[in-house]
Amino acid sequence: MSVPVPHIASAPYTVRGMRVTDHRFTVPLDHAVPEGESITVFAREYSDAEMPQTEAGQLPWLLYLQGGPGGKGSRLLQFGGWTKAAAKHFRILMLDQRGTGLSTPADRRTLPLRGDAAAQADYLARFRADSIVADAELIRGALGSGPWTTYGQSYGGFCTLTYLSFAPHGLRESLITGGLAPLTGPADRVYRATFRRVAARNAEYFAKYPQDRALTTRIARHLSDTAEFLPSGERLSVQRFQMIGSFLGGNTRMDGLHYLLQEAFVPAPGGERLSDTFLEAVHGLVGRAANPLYAVMHESIYGQGAATNWAAARVLEEFPEFKPDAAEPLYTGEMVYPWYFDEDPALVPLKETAELLAAREDWPALYDSGQLARNSVPVAAAVYTDDIYVDRGLSLETAAAVRGLRVWESADFHHDGIADDGEGIFNRLLGMVRDAPQP
């Protein structure tokens, strides 16, 4: 049974057919020292405003575990997609994972309050999935919920596997989309697999838009020769331009890359320059001011008993086609490199902290393979065949290691599948766990 924690809830208010309540919980910074320093974790509750409040209050809870790391809970303006489907069965709780959103923040402004880089790194070491799950269990107790349903997208699926490992008693059932993490092994194997998938996705993109191959190289050469600056004031490098490959992780978003590139150049005195429209859009894609923990904590999500030591940068040496000076450089995926902390103003002050986290060796285990092999919680996971962020092969390896986990594999969606058909995917997975025989 979870120990109750201090909890403040707002009065309910309505937003476009949703009944909304804001919750703030006081939780230990270090769950191993519950009487020590505390932080605030924020979560927002959504239910159907057309349903009588007494009836809605009897619905079971669904905890949504956001992608990331460093992603805050979705800010709903109305029900749609998977939330439209979920609101028929649940009260939805959107969690701002520790350090994000309205939870106690962790960024270039606040982290210096902890002290030097070593103190900041020690602080952030308590911001991984194990702490997020421990927060969730305290929150579940504070809300008076029995075992609840979780829905984990991307990194939220990683958190779900940690939940299944260390607090399965808190779970009624779990749904996962694009988020089956490898349970063992160094981060290198993750990036080795995803570099290959990103290369294949580049080939698919340039086959669809062959004119963009020369245009991409032209932009890269222009950036090597001409100083172009993002709206935040820093020079746009070739390697940072390559980050707009984040578009390739989605179905329709891939076409958005084509539209963006079409607006790249405009005529100017002295020759062509990159347009303000293009630079503004690129800034929105490559800047980490809104989610710095994504970069700072990214490789730590794979750390278990060993340092990650900038795994993506090391594996990059095996894939020279992704280097900025390649003859025809490719777009990259969600890999994080040390140079991020030289070029992004939101990350520059955190460079030494990030270096210390990359070198950290004492990461505790995030998963319990024995418990997962004995799992009795119904779990269903969507695995996307061509996902460039969470590799299919590694996902299926993990699925086979979790007793009773049911997989739905689809080649119709990419990593952002729930943005394309969230309602259909949610209903399918919920049906799978509800129809599943108990393992």
Side-chain angles (χ1 to χ4, degrees), residues 380-404:
V383 173
Y384 305 127
T385 304
D386 301 310
D387 194 329
I388 68 171
Y389 295 145
V390 181
D391 177 70
R392 170 191 182 271
L394 295 178
S395 295
L396 295 180
E397 174 189 294
T398 294
V402 182
R403 182 169 180 254

Side-chain angles (χ1 to χ4, degrees), residues 25-30 33-40 104 114 123:
F25 306 88
T26 302
V27 302
L29 169 64
D30 185 344
V33 188
E35 70 282 2
E37 182 181 354
S38 61
I39 60 173
T40 296
T104 299
R114 306 301 310 180
Y123 178 71

Side-chain angles (χ1 to χ4, degrees), residues 148-339:
W148 57 9
T149 300
T150 59
Y151 184 19
Q153 158 65 12
S154 189
Y155 177 62
F158 292 30
C159 294
T160 303
L161 292 168
T162 302
Y163 217 143
L164 289 165
S165 294
F166 300 118
H169 55 274
L171 299 173
R172 173 188 178 186
E173 61 206 356
S174 293
L175 317 180
I176 298 171
T177 48
L180 289 178
L183 302 178
T184 60
D188 301 51
R189 67 198 294 255
V190 173
Y191 295 112
R192 197 164 282 117
T194 52
F195 267 119
R196 294 189 183 102
R197 291 206 177 272
V198 178
R201 187 66 165 159
N202 270 267
E204 181 183 352
Y205 175 78
F206 289 125
K208 183 173 184 178
Y209 295 112
Q211 67 273 32
D212 288 355
R213 177 61 275 176
L215 178 56
T216 296
T217 303
R218 181 177 153 208
I219 294 170
R221 297 294 169 262
H222 174 81
L223 290 171
S224 295
D225 299 336
T226 305
E228 296 279 9
F229 296 89
L230 294 172
S232 48
E234 71 273 23
R235 183 171 177 173
L236 176 60
S237 65
V238 177
Q239 55 199 6
R240 205 148 173 227
F241 159 66
Q242 291 174 272
M243 290 170 63
I244 67 173
S246 59
F247 270 119
L248 301 179
N251 283 29
T252 57
R253 291 176 69 239
M254 184 176 82
D255 302 296
L257 176 58
H258 173 65
Y259 295 146
L260 174 61
L261 294 178
Q262 285 184 318
E263 297 185 294
F265 286 107
V266 292
E272 64 182 9
R273 300 296 298 267
L274 294 179
S275 71
D276 285 344
T277 299
F278 178 81
L279 291 169
E280 179 68 35
V282 169
H283 180 246
L285 292 167
V286 306
R288 293 296 175 205
N291 59 344
L293 291 185
Y294 175 89
V296 177
M297 301 295 295
H298 197 86
E299 289 197 356
S300 77
I301 69 177
Y302 302 111
Q304 298 188 92
T308 58
N309 285 324
W310 299 116
R314 286 186 286 100
V315 175
L316 173 65
E317 297 303 314
E318 302 171 25
F319 297 87
E321 63 270 32
F322 285 97
K323 291 190 173 183
D325 59 357
E328 293 185 316
L330 299 182
Y331 292 105
T332 56
E334 64 175 1
M335 300 79 170
V336 171
Y337 307 99
W339 58 258

